[in-house]
Amino acid sequence: MLDGFEILTTSGVVLWSKSYAPLSSGLINGFIRDVFIEEKVLPSATTADDTSASQHSAYKREKYTLRWASVKDLGLIFVAVYQSLLHLSWVDKLLDNIRVLFVDLYGDQVRKPHSTVVECNFDDYFDQQVQELESSAEASQRTPQITRNDENLKTTPDEESEEPPPPIPGLLSGRKSPNSAAPSTDATPTSTPDTSRPSTPLNGHLLSAKATRGGTSRRARKAASGKPTAVDGLKEKSVGKAKGKQLRRWDADGMADEDEDVPLDYSATSDADSRPVSSAGVEPVDMAASGMRTSKGQYILKDLDDEVHSILQSAKQKNQRTETSKPTGVVGSSLGAISGLFRNVIGGKVLTKQDLEKPMKGMEDLLLKKNVAREAAVRLCEGVERELIGKKTGSFESIDTLLRTSLSSSLTKLLTPTTSLSLLTSITNITTTQQRPYTISIVGVNGVGKSTSLSKLAFFLLQNNLSLLIAACDTFRSGAVEQLRVHARNLKDLSDREHLGRVELYEKGYGKDAAHIARDAVAYAKDHNFDVVLIDTAGRRHNDARLMSSLEKFAELARPDKILMVGEALVGTDSVMQARAFNAAFGAKRGLDGFIISKCDTVGEMVGVLVSMVHATGIPVVFLGVGQHYGDLRTVNVGNVVGLLMS
Amino acid sequence: MAWTNSLSFMPEPTPVLILISVLLVVSIPLLLHLIIYSTTSDTLPTILLIGPSGAGKTALVTLLERGRPTATRTSQTPHTVEVSLPVKTPVASSRFRSPNDPTWEVTKKLLIQDTPGHGKLRHYAMDSISKPQSLQGIIFVVDAADLSSEAREGARQAAEYLHDVLLQLQKRATNSKSSRAPKEMPVLIAANKLDLFTALPAPLVKSTLESEITKLRKSLSAGLLDSGVGAKDLDVTEEHDWLGEVGDGPFEFSQLQEFNVQVKILAGNVTGVDGSDVKQWWNWIGSIL
Ligand SMILES: Nc1nc2c(ncn2[C@@H]2O[C@H](COP(=O)(O)OP(=O)(O)OP(=O)(O)O)[C@@H](O)[C@H]2O)c(=O)[nH]1
Ligand SMILES: [Mg+2]
């Protein structure tokens, strides 16, 4: 059983929701944060639109599993929530069908600019789908013997055929118009008549005159109030006609004399319906009636089935058609080409994978040229592409500008840290509330400038009158301790001269276990009232398993508040591997807290490493080394970096 | 004949061509209309809604739009909504109008732009501040109940965002090329969720935010300069930005008047058991139009 279902916009408004059990409001918010904003959970590589049996990605939080689908150009997200213990195989199909139904019924309202209001009475449609899919799933698990809802039994005990409904001739041709005002969704309705509607008996679908009128008129009203296209009219009529023919045989109320007129009468009736009462006013009554257990009520329910199925099927056919059909004839094709060109210039074009292919390649090359690792560049572009396919270009907006804004906003999102807690604030927090020194350790591969970066950081902290202990835990490379000693002496001179903070070096020579030295250094700092301990570690290749594995013990003993990894701005494709390996090296509970990118002054615009490393790990860049002096440490200005990348 | 020859350069009047020309004739005026029409709606006065995530911005927008709030979730994209000022709210521009004036009753339309408050998505709001065409005012929504917590975390984060916003507005004044001061920018700090008993009243919201900003700007000035990467950027930002009056004194919102930024703090609540109370905010909106 589902726990809840929600339809919301990317702007944050819940358009429709249903919950079967109380859900904490943090659940969906957390889901949005993790999946869409912080992108901790990457969507699977296959985009929803090219898998016909779309498997929607799942997200687990607390004891719940959430599955979702989206319609990008409308900014809609459909989320289904259920307990992870359950295995609800039909949720994917539910998401697909609900997406099609909702967009078909209310797409126009969602599209309306400067508004968040969507008047919808979606409950019955939703319930119908849940009931249908749930029972069909049950049926496929058990025997095909059908003993389901009593309406079915009552009306047509003998007609429980699982055949698809007969093709309705008018229906198909009616929907073939290329101009149909179809909602552009990335939906792939997978409902086939034989799988999605076994609980609907064939004849039930053709059952009632009254109901047909009541229900379709709802759609007709929509069409009348919106833009009545030829297609819509045709569709409605043919549906009506097909039903009308069978009607005489099945009308339970015995109103057979009316039948002949129903199809013809139809549009008039719906007009009459739509005129006196506003649609919003009418529907609740309909809905209430549909819940009743009277024979009439059942008819209305059946009618809802019809409506739902015709929507789903028409969307499916539309989909197939766009896949297969090519514009035919000279007029058709040249018209198509011209309108395509036109739209390219003036906007309003729905983007497809083909449109994006070339500009996407350009974007990717641009990123690669800026030294973004291939993996990150490809994934970033894929993300942008996923976002853009199915979108309409705005008026006078070329694909290129759309692409640029989209890429620049995803780069900004990527590089902006989730919290901007400054290092100084965290240090004061710890030293004042916990009376212990704040511990920072610096890791990285050989020769990237760990000790230099550490000294710059030390200088910055000294300038803020903090007292530092520098722990030399590189007990591996000869000369490392001496190098640090020189830095410490320089820093001491500097701070003596300018009356800055206090600095001291903690060293225990070579060969000893770095983790133990680090732990002792922290204890020493606590005894001697230091504010900050800066731990230098041995450089290690990220593929050196032995040295990398010692980092876990190091983290356990030294318990650093922050582990910063130094990476070189010059490094190429290796950056992604490095970042990943170090992030994973501290055990399951601990990861890196940030990057320091060194030697940024030497790369000009080629600042891609920032992107590669953040992309690989989701960990922010906290400092940049921009020169040879102690003062050459900077924080990241995301706007500037994005500007450089896009230039 | 010469002229018949020259005519033969003209394309044959195929059905395609005829169709195209008909299309062009029909579509150009249509397009022009669309363009003009779409630009006029942008000239409605716009008010920007910003603030930390979960402050109640989206809830407020839905309330202003339809008279009652709906359920909301964390926003990912900005969204602009058209709302009409309630008839009773006095509008500053009609102060001198006779109450018998027939146009008196006409409601005033305006646009409200909601922005996402999540840390990673604040660039939408910041971009909107820096290019204000029809921007009439800014409402900074803050969760007054969140400010009161012991850990100061909520207050610190709200202050940080507010600091960035105000600094941007201040830069607008200091960086403007022209000698005349930029248009006045009213800022409302909407202390929301006053229905909760832990919520701070407006004066306390003000003092809390002011004291947090005082601390923040101090620690920011002690912090590192930020930079893009290339060496050429380094020369540009060799100085820290400082919000408000320079010196050791505490920060006060009134210090921003010098930069034509008028800050006002008013309390209210969007949801709550006794309904919502946003009268003061409506009045503020009316007063700046
Ligand atoms: N008690 C109380 N709750 C409120 C009030 N206003 C909003 N909320 C709740 O606060 C939560 C967050 O509101 P949103 O409007 O989604 O927050 P937001 O500012 O749009 O947040 P982002 O979109 O993430 O930037 C919702 O659950 C609201 O119901 C209020 O006045 N009182
Ligand atoms: Mg919001």
Side-chain angles (χ1 to χ4, degrees):
Chain A
M1 204 40 221
L2 279 180
D3 278 34
F5 196 100
E6 244 175 52
I7 303 176
L8 48 126
T9 66
T10 51
S11 57
V13 179
V14 178
L15 297 180
W16 180 87
S17 72
K18 174 153 191 140
S19 59
Y20 299 90
L23 296 173
S24 88
S25 70
L27 183 68
I28 304 240
N29 281 340
F31 155 73
I32 293 172
R33 259 197 325 271
D34 285 357
V35 172
F36 297 107
I37 301 181
E38 295 171 20
E39 292 175 8
K40 286 184 190 150
V41 189
L42 286 170
S44 56
T46 51
T47 47
D49 48 20
D50 47 31
T51 49
S52 52
S54 54
Q55 265 280 322
H56 297 289
S57 354
Y59 166 83
K60 289 196 163 57
R61 189 183 178 90
E62 291 152 33
K63 56 180 181 168
Y64 297 104
T65 296
L66 290 83
R67 279 182 194 277
W68 73 95
S70 56
V71 181
K72 265 158 271 161
D73 64 332
L74 297 183
L76 291 179
I77 301 171
F78 302 77
V79 196
V81 184
Y82 56 93
Q83 306 217 349
S84 301
L85 291 173
L86 302 175
H87 180 72
L88 300 186
S89 54
W90 46 273
V91 167
D92 279 328
K93 175 145 317 130
L94 179 71
L95 281 166
D96 278 333
N97 288 358
I98 293 298
R99 174 166 64 178
V100 169
L101 283 171
F102 194 84
V103 170
D104 185 277
L105 291 166
Y106 310 114
D108 292 344
Q109 290 187 58
V110 178
R111 242 175 240 119
K112 214 161 51 187
H114 301 324
S115 162
T116 64
V117 184
V118 172
E119 292 280 353
C120 60
N121 288 293
F122 197 59
D123 289 18
D124 286 5
Y125 296 92
F126 183 79
D127 290 344
Q128 188 270 352
Q129 275 298 306
V130 169
Q131 233 169 49
E132 186 171 301
L133 292 175
E134 207 171 24
S135 51
S136 83
E138 261 169 40
S140 66
Q141 272 169 15
R142 293 189 212 137
T143 53
Q145 182 54 49
I146 293 124
T147 46
R148 281 184 302 268
N149 25 34
D150 43 356
E151 301 111 70
N152 289 341
L153 288 173
K154 231 191 284 172
T155 50
T156 56
D158 52 335
E159 294 276 349
E160 292 283 359
S161 69
E162 303 254 327
E163 285 168 30
I168 301 163
L171 215 60
L172 298 175
S173 58
R175 288 188 183 126
K176 268 215 171 102
S177 161
N179 300 325
S180 81
S184 75
T185 73
D186 58 352
T188 316
T190 50
S191 75
T192 51
D194 40 346
T195 59
S196 76
R197 38 178 313 204
S199 67
T200 311
L202 191 51
N203 49 356
H205 157 73
L206 304 164
L207 201 62
S208 61
K210 269 252 163 64
T212 304
R213 217 194 311 145
T216 25
S217 73
R218 209 177 304 138
R219 272 175 67 66
R221 243 179 274 138
K222 184 168 85 78
S225 62
K227 35 186 183 290
T229 60
V231 193
D232 265 336
L234 216 62
K235 187 165 68 185
E236 302 295 358
K237 274 218 180 85
S238 47
V239 171
K241 204 178 282 167
K243 278 171 198 154
K245 271 186 194 145
Q246 325 266 330
L247 211 68
R248 258 158 283 157
R249 280 184 284 131
W250 289 98
D251 191 336
D253 279 343
M255 311 228 285
D257 45 350
E258 213 185 279
D259 293 347
E260 205 67 76
D261 292 327
V262 168
L264 305 172
D265 203 17
Y266 162 73
S267 56
T269 336
S270 66
D271 273 3
D273 273 359
S274 67
R275 238 178 288 123
V277 204
S278 81
S279 61
V282 170
E283 272 165 35
V285 185
D286 277 0
M287 295 299 151
S290 74
M292 293 195 302
R293 289 258 155 205
T294 64
S295 66
K296 257 205 179 123
Q298 278 168 23
Y299 286 152
I300 289 173
L301 211 65
K302 279 287 157 279
D303 168 61
L304 187 77
D305 278 6
D306 285 350
E307 188 185 349
V308 165
H309 292 144
S310 86
I311 294 172
L312 290 178
Q313 198 156 21
S314 89
K316 189 180 156 221
Q317 277 160 4
K318 220 172 281 150
N319 226 47
Q320 278 169 353
R321 203 180 49 238
T322 46
E323 265 166 34
T324 53
S325 75
K326 298 263 180 298
T328 48
V330 187
V331 179
S333 66
S334 52
L335 259 184
I338 287 164
S339 78
L341 274 178
F342 217 56
R343 289 205 170 135
N344 256 341
V345 182
I346 65 154
K349 183 183 167 62
V350 178
L351 295 173
T352 63
K353 209 175 167 87
Q354 284 85 349
D355 296 328
L356 289 173
E357 208 161 334
K358 233 175 77 201
M360 245 23 258
K361 192 86 197 69
M363 281 286 134
E364 203 178 302
D365 289 344
L366 178 74
L367 289 178
L368 290 177
K369 233 185 290 166
K370 294 286 158 65
N371 200 18
V372 177
R374 180 168 290 277
E375 181 191 333
V378 168
R379 288 262 288 279
L380 266 170
C381 287
E382 272 171 10
V384 170
E385 188 181 74
R386 244 198 321 270
E387 203 170 293
L388 288 185
I389 287 179
K391 249 204 177 137
K392 271 206 191 76
T393 52
S395 46
F396 290 97
E397 188 179 36
S398 72
I399 295 181
D400 237 35
T401 47
L402 193 64
L403 209 64
R404 284 187 74 85
T405 36
S406 178
L407 182 66
S408 124
S409 107
S410 38
L411 283 172
T412 308
K413 198 165 97 178
L414 179 74
L415 292 175
T416 310
T418 307
T419 58
S420 54
L421 194 62
S422 88
L423 184 62
L424 289 177
T425 321
S426 331
I427 292 175
T428 3
N429 266 353
I430 295 286
T431 49
T432 52
T433 60
Q434 301 191 15
Q435 268 91 42
R436 66 172 176 87
Y438 191 87
T439 312
I440 304 172
S441 66
I442 309 274
V443 299
V445 299
N446 315 78
V448 289
K450 275 189 307 302
S451 305
T452 317
S453 300
L454 180 139
S455 323
K456 286 179 188 169
L457 190 54
F459 179 65
F460 161 61
L461 296 175
L462 285 173
Q463 280 180 313
N464 284 288
N465 289 312
L466 294 166
S467 55
L468 318 177
L469 184 68
I470 298 177
C473 293
D474 186 351
T475 56
F476 196 68
R477 181 173 65 89
S478 64
V481 177
E482 286 76 12
Q483 186 194 356
L484 217 51
R485 204 180 289 147
V486 173
H487 277 308
R489 185 157 12 97
N490 289 347
L491 286 169
K492 199 168 164 44
D493 288 351
L494 258 174
S495 56
D496 283 349
R497 204 167 344 122
E498 299 183 24
H499 306 289
L500 306 175
R502 164 169 73 113
V503 58
E504 198 174 305
L505 182 71
Y506 186 89
E507 52 170 314
K508 282 282 175 283
Y510 294 97
K512 294 228 182 58
D513 182 33
H516 285 107
I517 300 180
R519 189 189 52 189
D520 296 345
V522 175
Y524 176 88
K526 185 160 192 219
D527 294 342
H528 293 81
N529 281 327
F530 282 93
D531 295 318
V532 181
V533 187
L534 285 169
I535 306 175
D536 191 27
T537 64
R540 57 203 86 206
R541 294 290 310 158
H542 56 283
N543 43 18
D544 180 337
R546 195 178 59 84
L547 272 177
M548 287 302 279
S549 66
S550 66
L551 282 176
E552 187 168 353
K553 184 179 164 201
F554 172 81
E556 211 172 286
L557 290 184
R559 299 192 163 277
D561 294 286
K562 272 215 176 352
I563 306 179
L564 302 179
M565 172 181 165
V566 181
E568 243 178 343
L570 303 162
V571 74
T573 48
D574 227 14
S575 52
V576 171
M577 302 294 294
Q578 284 180 16
R580 283 224 182 93
F582 274 97
N583 193 29
F586 301 96
K589 287 195 291 283
R590 193 73 169 90
L592 292 172
D593 297 295
F595 296 111
I596 301 177
I597 308 291
S598 65
K599 309 181 190 176
C600 286
D601 50 325
T602 60
V603 290
E605 289 179 351
M606 313 240 304
V607 291
V609 172
L610 272 78
V611 177
S612 315
M613 291 195 144
V614 176
H615 185 268
T617 55
I619 288 157
V621 173
V622 284
F623 297 117
L624 303 174
V626 294
Q628 301 288 340
H629 302 285
Y630 284 129
D632 291 337
L633 194 67
R634 296 284 184 278
T635 49
V636 186
N637 181 329
V638 175
N640 282 356
V641 173
V642 172
L644 283 178
L645 285 166
M646 304 286 298
S647 66
Chain B
M1 297 270 147
W3 62 272
T4 39
N5 269 349
S6 69
L7 251 192
S8 67
F9 287 117
M10 297 284 284
E12 287 285 312
T14 60
V16 182
L17 265 180
I18 291 170
L19 252 171
I20 293 169
S21 39
V22 168
L23 244 161
L24 280 179
V25 168
V26 173
S27 60
I28 285 173
L30 256 174
L31 270 174
L32 279 176
H33 168 80
L34 275 179
I35 294 160
I36 293 164
Y37 181 77
S38 66
T39 45
T40 47
S41 82
D42 285 345
T43 56
L44 281 178
T46 304
I47 287 179
L48 187 64
L49 268 190
I50 46 187
S53 188
K57 295 180 292 300
T58 312
L60 176 60
V61 168
T62 59
L63 170 68
L64 297 184
E65 186 186 19
R66 39 186 123 175
R68 69 201 139 76
T70 53
T72 58
R73 301 287 175 230
T74 304
S75 309
Q76 301 161 52
T77 51
H79 189 65
T80 306
V81 172
E82 187 180 303
V83 306
S84 331
L85 209 59
V87 189
K88 290 177 292 273
T89 311
V91 174
S93 56
S94 54
R95 210 172 337 170
F96 304 113
R97 222 185 274 176
S98 142
N100 302 322
D101 191 330
T103 57
W104 178 257
E105 283 290 301
V106 174
T107 55
K108 180 104 180 155
K109 281 199 172 5
L110 64 141
L111 297 177
I112 301 222
Q113 190 186 1
D114 180 26
T115 57
H118 188 280
K120 271 181 179 292
L121 300 174
R122 290 184 183 169
H123 60 275
Y124 291 114
M126 290 316 220
D127 287 353
S128 299
I129 298 178
S130 49
K131 42 177 192 281
Q133 281 94 13
S134 47
L135 192 60
Q136 292 285 318
I138 295 175
I139 300 183
F140 187 91
V141 185
V142 59
D143 181 347
D146 196 27
L147 293 182
S148 62
S149 81
E150 272 298 304
R152 298 195 309 132
E153 192 55 28
R156 204 187 50 73
Q157 280 182 5
E160 198 171 288
Y161 195 4
L162 183 58
H163 172 271
D164 291 353
V165 168
L166 294 176
L167 188 64
Q168 185 90 1
L169 290 174
Q170 176 181 319
K171 277 189 195 160
R172 194 185 57 123
T174 49
N175 293 355
S176 74
K177 298 271 186 312
S178 64
S179 54
R180 67 194 176 86
K183 187 175 71 170
E184 182 162 299
M185 184 59 72
V187 175
L188 169 67
I189 296 177
N192 190 22
K193 310 203 186 178
L194 258 282
D195 57 312
L196 301 176
F197 75 95
T198 49
L200 298 182
L204 268 181
V205 168
K206 175 166 185 278
S207 58
T208 307
L209 287 174
E210 281 179 339
S211 85
E212 284 299 327
I213 289 181
T214 304
K215 283 181 217 157
L216 182 70
R217 66 176 183 178
K218 196 156 184 185
S219 92
L220 280 178
S221 73
L224 291 165
L225 295 166
D226 66 351
S227 116
V229 191
K232 59 178 180 296
D233 299 315
L234 300 183
D235 313 327
V236 188
T237 54
E238 272 310 332
E239 221 175 278
H240 280 289
D241 297 309
W242 181 267
L243 180 69
E245 201 175 84
V246 184
D248 278 340
F251 171 79
E252 277 165 32
F253 290 124
S254 59
Q255 292 166 5
L256 294 171
Q257 275 169 8
E258 185 189 336
F259 306 102
N260 253 342
V261 178
Q262 304 286 346
V263 183
K264 203 159 170 70
I265 291 106
L266 295 170
N269 59 284
V270 176
T271 61
V273 274
D274 303 327
S276 54
D277 175 16
V278 293
K279 219 168 39 258
Q280 297 198 65
W281 300 344
W282 267 130
N283 287 340
W284 179 85
I285 293 174
S287 74
I288 62 162
L289 291 180

